[in-house]
């Protein structure tokens, strides 16, 4: 029987029902899955060495003949197999533990290629549990660059290698997303070559080339998909129109107690040009924490209202939605604009009333959380959708809110600074506005990294500061098990703080509190009644209490840098000098470097770049759904040059064949369809 990518692994040599189950735990069900099971790393057993030249401590490969074998049983459950092997230059001892069955293979007079770590034991060189193959067969486990696969359930490397080798001929017919013509032009190896070499590379150069080809393939697929999304957006018809007169939005700006920054003004101009333009707006406004994005969002909401439409703004947390409502309500009321708030905790009567007001168009601006995308929420005339702190939402949630209007304008606000490579891939279908200026008079938050040993001194200083009128956040260590565990840890922490400062009002905020309790604590903190707020990362996004000027982050090394930067953004919002103290004793050099980055850098973009380098894109974006296919080979930090290349090539290809209709683009079309199924209209790629 011939093997195809869809052949179930049970039909391969050496796979019975039990093994098939084990393989399934690695996500391997078919022959194709095996081919896509990429090595985790490689051992270099490619250089054959003379036995006499071996040195303790090195990984080495040598060809030698067995001259003697002996098995001993020093303890009841321990058997030790000793073999002496020699080549022309000298002899070495090989040792296996509890592997009696190898006696059958390791017969004196037979020659093998051995690979393993050389040790110095009792005055002689030896190798424990070496890999080996008969010289006639050498080339899979030894004598070459050997792949080491992610494994589980006791599946041995030898077993996995044999299976992969069995399906490797599949690579010859493998169709890749990248058309061969493109690969050839970029000097990337053809797909069959790359798929073979990623598993069994003849040398490191070939391995590197294979890796680049496969990484390019992943990035290219995404960028073609993103390019199609952009084209889809560009082809969308504007169905809502805006008036060029700006009575409300102008009045709003005049009512502000401060002058807009240049960057805020520019953002508004770009948004206005979009709203008056021929296509629906798809714009990402990216501005570091505290850069004043809310004012820009509020202004855009009013542009919709003064044009006779409704607008909605979705925030990722109750606290934030609540805060937006409190901030905007007075200004909007004085402009005669009616606002509704919809969150999970809005009580029934209020919700019914809000739903009615929204459906009938009485509520002109609707603020809320995910509750906004529930099916029951219907708008009369939704023209503009703003999502705040977009990194907390999936692309799909954004789309679901947009579906409540007819091609509404989309404004996406984020404080997560996105390095350019990620911006191209994750948000590539959006136009970008950067607010790169802070309101005047802000000083950078003085950031200090200290070990646990300094905690007592830090808390003593905190006590003085709080008694002198400052307010502070204490962020509890990140607990990943569950919100429940995190909540009880935070509660305990708050108790400790209360005992330490019996004369200071201490508040507690965590995800398990009821929305009303959260709102009460936040209100008390904002009013200065609570002086120290012990909190989990619930407080991470958007919260704005200007008198809070101190933040202590416990277990700071457990947080991502982007997250620490977000947290730190809660202070430094008033005119008072602000401090952020990171308490952590990271054990790795990388962990220490991350703390130093936080001390040194205050620019979110530079921090995100550093995070991308140190920890990879997962950290920068958070674990939340960002609507992109998984990357198995590509690494957006390391492969920045490939992103730029893929961007050019994707554009070139889409210009030549916008519907991906040519036969040589069939594999590409299938891949893009699979990856972007729920974001692309059928009409774009069918
Ligand atoms: P973010 O961009 O993090 O969402 P906010 O919109 O919450 O920032 O703004 C942070 C603080 O700065 C708020 O208290 C806001 O009133 C204030 N602010 C916004 N724009 C200006 C400005 N141009 N001048 C002075 N303060 C401003
Ligand atoms: Mg904000």
């Amino acid at each position: 029987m011939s093997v195809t990518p869809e052949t179930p692994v049970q039909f391969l040599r050496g796979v019975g029902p039990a093994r098939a189950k084990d393989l399934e735990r690695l996500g391997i069900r078919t022959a194709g899955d095996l081919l896509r099971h990429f090595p985790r790393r490689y051992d270099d057993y490619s250089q054959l060495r003379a036995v006499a030249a071996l040195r303790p401590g090195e990984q080495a490969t040598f060809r030698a003949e067995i001259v003697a074998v002996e098995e001993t049983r020093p303890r009841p459950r321990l058997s030790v197999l000793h073999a002496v092997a020699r080549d022309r230059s000298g002899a070495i001892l090989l040792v296996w533990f509890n592997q009696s069955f190898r006696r059958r293979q390791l017969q004196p007079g037979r020659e093998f290629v051995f690979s393993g770590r050389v040790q110095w034991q009792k005055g002689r060189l030896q190798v424990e549990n070496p890999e080996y193959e008969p010289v006639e067969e050498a080339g899979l486990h030894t004598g070459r660059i050997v792949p080491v696969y992610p494994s589980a359930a006791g599946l041995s490397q030898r077993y996995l290698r044999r299976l992969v080798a069995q399906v490797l001929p599949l690579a010859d017919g493998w169709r890749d997303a990248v058309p061969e013509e493109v690969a050839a032009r970029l000097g990337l190896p053809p797909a069959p070559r790359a798929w073979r070499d990623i598993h069994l590379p003849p040398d490191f150069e070939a391995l590197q080339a294979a890796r680049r080809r496969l990484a390019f393939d992943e990035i290219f697929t995404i960028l073609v998909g993103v390019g199609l999304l952009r084209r889809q957006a560009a082809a969308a018809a504007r169905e809502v129109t805006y008036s060029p007169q700006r009575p409300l939005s102008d009045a709003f700006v005049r009512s502000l107690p401060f002058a807009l920054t240049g960057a805020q003004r520019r953002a508004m101009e770009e948004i206005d040009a979009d709203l008056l333009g021929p296509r629906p707006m798809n714009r990402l406004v990216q501005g570091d924490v505290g850069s004043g994005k809310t004012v820009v969002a509020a202004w855009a909401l009013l542009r919709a209202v003064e044009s006779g439409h409704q607008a909605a703004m979705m925030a990722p947390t109750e606290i934030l939605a609540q805060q937006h409502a409190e901030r905007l309500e007075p200004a909007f009321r004085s402009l005669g604009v009616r606002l509704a708030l919809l969150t999970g905790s809005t009580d029934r009567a209020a919700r019914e009333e809000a739903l009615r007001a929204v459906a009938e168009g009485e509520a002109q601006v609707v603020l809320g959380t995910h509750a906004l995308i529930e099916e029951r929420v219907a708008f009369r005339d939704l023209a503009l959708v703003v999502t705040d702190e977009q990194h907390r939402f999936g692309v799909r949630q954004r789309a679901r809110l947009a579906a409540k209007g007819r091609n509404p304008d989309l404004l996406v606000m984020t404080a997560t600074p996105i390095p350019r490579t990620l911006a191209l891939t994750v948000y590539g279908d959006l136009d970008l506005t950067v607010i790169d200026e802070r309101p005047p008079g802000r000083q950078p938050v003085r950031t200090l990294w200290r070990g646990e040993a300094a905690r007592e001194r830090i808390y003593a200083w905190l006590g003085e500061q709080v008694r002198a009128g400052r307010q502070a956040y204490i962020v509890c260590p990140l607990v990943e098990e569950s919100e429940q565990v995190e909540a009880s840890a935070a509660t305990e922490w708050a108790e400790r703080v209360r005992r330490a400062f019996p004369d200071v009002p201490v508040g507690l905020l965590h995800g398990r509190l009821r929305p009303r309790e959260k709102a009460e604590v936040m209100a008390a903190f904002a009013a200065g009644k609570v002086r120290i707020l012990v909190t989990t990362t619930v407080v991470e996004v958007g919260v704005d209490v200007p008198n809070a000027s101190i933040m202590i982050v416990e277990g700071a090394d457990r947080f991502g840098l982007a997250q620490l930067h977000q947290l730190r953004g809660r202070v430094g919002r008033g005119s008072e000098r602000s401090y952020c103290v990171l308490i952590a004793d990271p054990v790795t050099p990388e962990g220490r470097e991350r703390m130093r980055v936080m001390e040194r850098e205050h620019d979110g973009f530079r921090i995100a770049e550093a995070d991308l380098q140190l920890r990879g894109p997962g950290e920068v974006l958070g674990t939340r759904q960002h609507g992109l296919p998984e990357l198995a080979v590509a690494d957006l930090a390391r492969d920045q040059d490939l992103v730029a290349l893929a961007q050019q090539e994707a554009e070139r290809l889409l210009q030549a064949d916008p519907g991906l209709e040519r036969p040589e683009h069939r594999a590409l079309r299938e891949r893009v369809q699979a990856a972007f199924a729920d974001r692309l209209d059928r009409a774009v790629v069918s």
Side-chain angles (χ1 to χ4, degrees), residues 510-531:
H510 60 69
R512 270 309 177 101
L513 293 180
R514 272 193 287 273
R516 175 149 311 137
E517 296 170 312
K518 282 187 204 161
E520 278 168 18
V521 176
M522 280 317 297
F525 190 58
K529 283 185 220 133
V530 161
R531 310 300 300 180

Side-chain angles (χ1 to χ4, degrees), residues 52 61 140 203 229 257 259 276 293 381 406 416 426 434-435 456 498 568 572 612 643:
T61 298
L140 187 55
D203 51 52
L229 286 177
L276 297 173
K293 294 184 294 296
D381 172 23
R406 284 174 303 137
T416 311
V426 181
V434 178
I435 300 189
E456 220 168 294
R498 285 190 181 116
R568 180 171 62 183
L612 191 60
V643 174

Side-chain angles (χ1 to χ4, degrees), residues 293-590:
K293 294 184 294 296
T294 315
V295 170
V296 174
W299 180 89
L301 297 171
L302 290 173
R303 286 293 288 120
V305 174
E306 66 200 357
S307 305
H309 310 295
Q310 285 176 297
M313 176 152 75
M314 182 159 67
T317 65
E318 297 249 358
I319 293 179
L320 204 51
Q322 194 90 41
Q323 182 181 286
H324 282 324
E326 278 159 20
R327 285 282 154 80
L328 299 182
E329 228 274 320
F332 280 26
R333 183 160 13 109
S334 69
L335 295 170
V337 174
R338 217 185 124 189
L339 202 143
L341 176 67
L342 267 178
T343 70
S345 69
T346 312
D347 66 46
R348 253 192 72 161
R351 186 208 310 270
E352 291 308 319
E353 165 54 17
L355 286 173
R356 186 201 58 78
V358 175
E360 292 177 7
E362 223 170 81
Q364 293 146 299
V365 171
V366 188
L367 304 179
T369 55
H370 299 76
L372 285 180
I373 57 183
E374 278 168 26
E375 224 160 285
R376 303 181 47 216
V377 183
F379 291 78
R380 203 173 81 91
D381 172 23
L382 178 61
L384 173 75
V385 167
V386 180
T387 53
D388 192 19
E389 307 294 352
Q390 167 68 19
H391 65 293
R392 291 300 200 94
F393 291 109
V395 185
R396 286 166 194 121
Q397 290 161 315
R398 195 208 312 160
R400 277 178 63 188
L401 183 51
K404 294 183 185 290
R406 284 174 303 137
N407 284 352
D409 293 279
L410 292 182
L411 186 60
V412 171
M413 322 282 287
T414 185
T416 311
I418 306 156
R420 203 183 130 65
T421 48
L422 290 183
L424 271 175
T425 44
V426 181
Y427 294 121
D429 57 325
L430 302 175
D431 297 319
L432 181 65
T433 291
V434 178
I435 300 189
D436 53 1
E437 196 179 338
R438 278 165 195 271
R442 300 276 175 78
Q443 314 168 38
V445 178
R446 179 119 191 264
T447 303
L448 306 152
W449 163 40
R450 294 290 182 269
E452 305 244 347
R455 181 178 292 120
E456 220 168 294
R457 254 187 313 126
I458 295 164
Y459 275 64
W461 166 81
L462 171 71
E464 287 164 24
Q465 293 291 312
V466 169
R467 287 178 194 114
R470 308 273 74 80
Q471 283 176 274
Y473 298 95
I474 297 177
V475 181
C476 300
L478 194 63
V479 179
E480 271 167 356
E481 288 103 274
S482 72
E483 209 176 46
Q484 178 83 64
V485 179
E486 187 167 73
S488 63
T491 309
E492 225 166 88
W493 208 275
E495 279 315 310
R496 280 172 64 175
V497 175
R498 285 190 181 116
R499 279 198 299 276
F501 305 111
D503 56 326
V504 175
V506 174
L508 169 65
L509 186 66
H510 60 69
R512 270 309 177 101
L513 293 180
R514 272 193 287 273
R516 175 149 311 137
E517 296 170 312
K518 282 187 204 161
E520 278 168 18
V521 176
M522 280 317 297
F525 190 58
K529 283 185 220 133
V530 161
R531 310 300 300 180
I532 298 178
L533 185 64
V534 175
T535 177
T536 63
T537 53
V538 177
V539 82
E540 178 190 334
V541 288
V543 168
D544 185 26
V545 177
N547 191 50
S549 58
I550 296 170
M551 170 170 284
I552 292 176
V553 184
E554 293 283 354
D557 53 334
R558 299 209 214 160
F559 296 90
L561 291 192
Q563 203 174 15
L564 283 176
H565 182 64
Q566 278 281 334
L567 283 167
R568 180 171 62 183
R570 299 310 110 219
V571 293
R573 298 185 153 243
S575 48
E576 208 56 52
R577 184 122 188 68
S578 290
Y579 297 88
C580 176
V581 186
L582 307 172
I583 301 185
D585 293 296
V587 290
T588 64
E590 182 223 281

